[in-house]
Amino acid sequence: MLKAFLAAAVMTTTVLLAGTASAAGDQFTGEWTATDPFDGSALRLQIGAPSPSGVRQVTLTDNFASACGAPATAIGTGTVSGSTLTTIVDIRCGGELRAKDVTITYTLVGSTLTDGFSTFARAADAFTGTWSATDPFDGSSLRLRIGNPSADGTRHVTLTDNFASACGAPATAIGTGTVSGSTLTAVLDVRCGGVPRGTGTFTYTLVGDTLFDGFSTFTR
């Protein structure tokens, strides 16, 4: 991806790749985990990014709900008002529908969410850390560093190429990004040999335990 950007930049004085970063993340979007205080089962809450109308997809899973003796799910939609996410979900246990249009609320308390019974913390992050890849075009070494999300979901992102053949020097792309679902979208300032080459939008998609930018496959 960095090579492709630089190749385009060589042909123009100033380059701005099409597209912009996705809206800054919020305090609810993402995956949360908790332990059921009644039976010790594992809970996972997935909250999607808001649509233009503010509606989010919400999925709660319980690996073993003692109330019905099987894994359970609560799937539906929700909206945020202030520090509270209100969801309306259909509950299934062992695949069997048990209740429709059930209202469950989650309140943000510091960096946690509570539903009145369980306290959810953010799940271990799949993007944060250092990733490496080999440029498929020239064999150079790529290193991608993705920081932890801030309170608003923004992350620091740094991509380095030890020798970008498109400009004949080491290159960097530094900026910030946000995650939506399985995709990290970053807006980065690109330099080659220390010379500014433009600002571009880079996307990285999580595929299993790798990240893919459309050209290179990054591993931890």
Side-chain angles (χ1 to χ4, degrees):
M1 180 68 178
L2 183 56
K3 175 181 172 60
F5 180 89
L6 288 168
V10 166
M11 297 183 289
T12 58
T13 303
T14 303
V15 175
L16 178 62
L17 291 185
T20 58
S22 58
D26 58 78
Q27 291 178 292
F28 289 88
T29 300
E31 292 197 6
W32 303 76
T33 59
T35 299
D36 189 307
F38 300 105
D39 59 19
S41 62
L43 308 176
R44 182 172 292 270
L45 176 65
Q46 297 171 299
I47 303 172
S51 68
S53 63
V55 177
R56 303 160 181 267
Q57 297 296 316
V58 178
T59 299
L60 173 66
T61 59
D62 185 334
N63 73 330
F64 190 84
S66 56
C68 65
T73 61
I75 301 175
T77 59
T79 57
V80 169
S81 178
S83 61
T84 300
L85 168 67
T86 302
T87 69
I88 298 177
V89 297
D90 293 341
I91 298 176
R92 293 177 180 272
C93 194
E96 179 183 344
L97 182 65
R98 293 299 183 101
K100 286 182 63 67
D101 298 332
V102 177
T103 299
I104 301 176
T105 60
Y106 301 92
T107 302
L108 195 65
V109 181
S111 60
T112 66
L113 283 178
T114 179
D115 62 2
F117 300 99
S118 304
T119 299
F120 291 80
R122 286 200 176 274
D125 186 81
F127 288 87
T128 301
T130 300
W131 303 75
S132 60
T134 298
D135 189 308
F137 301 104
D138 59 19
S140 62
S141 297
L142 308 176
R143 185 171 293 271
L144 177 65
R145 295 183 178 88
I146 303 172
N148 287 308
S150 64
D152 68 356
T154 303
R155 305 159 179 268
H156 288 288
V157 179
T158 300
L159 174 65
T160 59
D161 186 333
N162 73 331
F163 190 83
S165 57
C167 66
T172 61
I174 301 173
T176 59
T178 57
V179 169
S180 177
S182 61
T183 300
L184 166 68
T185 302
V187 176
L188 310 178
D189 293 330
V190 178
R191 292 176 177 265
C192 195
V195 178
R197 294 293 184 131
T199 300
T201 299
F202 294 69
T203 59
Y204 299 92
T205 302
L206 198 63
V207 181
D209 57 357
T210 68
L211 282 179
F212 184 60
D213 67 359
F215 300 98
S216 304
T217 299
F218 291 79
T219 59
R220 288 190 184 278

